[in-house]
Amino acid sequence: MSIIAGKEGYEEGEIIFRRDLKIGYLEQSPSYPDDLTVIEACFSHGNDITNLIKRYENCIENPSESKDRIEDLLKLMDHHKAWDYERRTKQILSQLKIKDFNQKISQLSGGQIKRVALANVLITEPDMLILDEPTNHLDLDMIEWLENYLRRTTMSVLMVTHDRYFLDRICSSIIEM
């Protein structure tokens, strides 16, 4: 899964995706630095939008940057809808029953960390979602929420799971290996 998601190298072969395909990857056991808050964890994982926001903030903090660079960043922020990233993040976290955005990651249960990671993946609005054991550490309410979310979405989903009931309710094609 991590090879397909581009998180790990491989010895031979080729992985070819459509050029503009956005991939979201939910790891089986996500982790974050313990000293981060929930909202900081959502901005720390380095997706395209959070990287753009950091570049914009650096430009604003350093007035010596060229006016052209700031204008280019403003256009990119508009194009990627980066202005409401924090609002959308909080909205998804709330749907996943994470309400204290300032709570430290070290104080979260395994299920809460999985939900923060799930929010991080969903906020990027990927075209293809790779899920590695997505129901691990999730309670029944969260599994049902995820089922409903995945049923409503148009994105492609590739997952590995031992949860046969989840598979049967979500998937239209199942490949057993």
Side-chain angles (χ1 to χ4, degrees):
M1 298 294 276
S2 58
I3 291 172
I4 294 170
K7 303 288 183 187
E8 190 175 314
Y10 50 96
E11 294 178 20
E12 60 182 274
E14 268 185 284
I15 299 173
I16 301 170
F17 294 110
R18 186 182 78 220
R19 195 179 351 248
D20 61 342
L21 184 73
K22 285 177 30 182
I23 297 175
Y25 176 47
L26 178 66
E27 297 176 72
Q28 182 174 354
S29 300
S31 64
Y32 298 95
D34 286 344
D35 61 329
L36 293 181
T37 64
V38 167
I39 199 71
E40 288 169 340
C42 290
F43 279 82
S44 71
H45 63 286
N47 66 45
D48 291 342
I49 296 175
T50 58
N51 290 339
L52 176 60
I53 292 168
K54 287 176 188 172
R55 285 177 37 215
Y56 172 76
E57 288 173 350
N58 285 339
C59 236
I60 295 301
E61 290 173 8
N62 299 311
S64 61
E65 295 286 334
S66 74
K67 183 179 178 182
D68 293 338
R69 181 170 156 80
I70 291 174
E71 287 179 17
D72 290 342
L73 286 171
L74 287 171
K75 288 177 189 173
L76 284 170
M77 293 281 289
D78 285 338
H79 176 73
H80 292 286
K81 302 176 193 163
W83 301 111
D84 10 315
Y85 187 83
E86 184 173 355
R87 181 192 56 79
R88 289 189 333 236
T89 300
K90 288 179 178 178
Q91 181 181 24
I92 289 176
L93 285 168
S94 294
Q95 290 174 357
L96 292 168
K97 298 184 180 177
I98 302 284
K99 307 251 191 256
D100 185 355
F101 308 126
N102 295 314
Q103 186 174 11
K104 294 285 185 189
I105 290 292
S106 61
Q107 299 171 340
L108 300 179
S109 69
Q112 289 170 315
I113 290 172
K114 186 80 163 205
R115 287 184 270 154
V116 169
L118 182 57
N120 277 329
V121 170
L122 297 179
I123 191 65
T124 63
E125 299 174 344
D127 302 309
M128 179 177 178
L129 187 58
I130 299 175
L131 304 172
D132 192 352
E133 296 291 352
T135 59
N136 281 11
H137 304 294
L138 295 182
D139 62 20
L140 186 57
D141 284 345
M142 288 298 96
I143 292 171
E144 288 175 353
W145 182 92
L146 183 56
E147 286 175 11
N148 290 328
Y149 182 89
L150 293 174
R151 274 195 222 117
R152 289 188 318 263
T153 188
T154 58
M155 73 179 91
S156 298
V157 178
L158 171 66
M159 80 173 100
V160 170
T161 183
H162 292 93
D163 188 337
R164 185 62 191 217
Y165 297 108
F166 184 76
L167 275 175
D168 288 340
R169 289 188 297 269
I170 299 302
C171 297
S172 58
S173 298
I174 299 173
I175 301 171
E176 293 185 56
M177 292 190 227

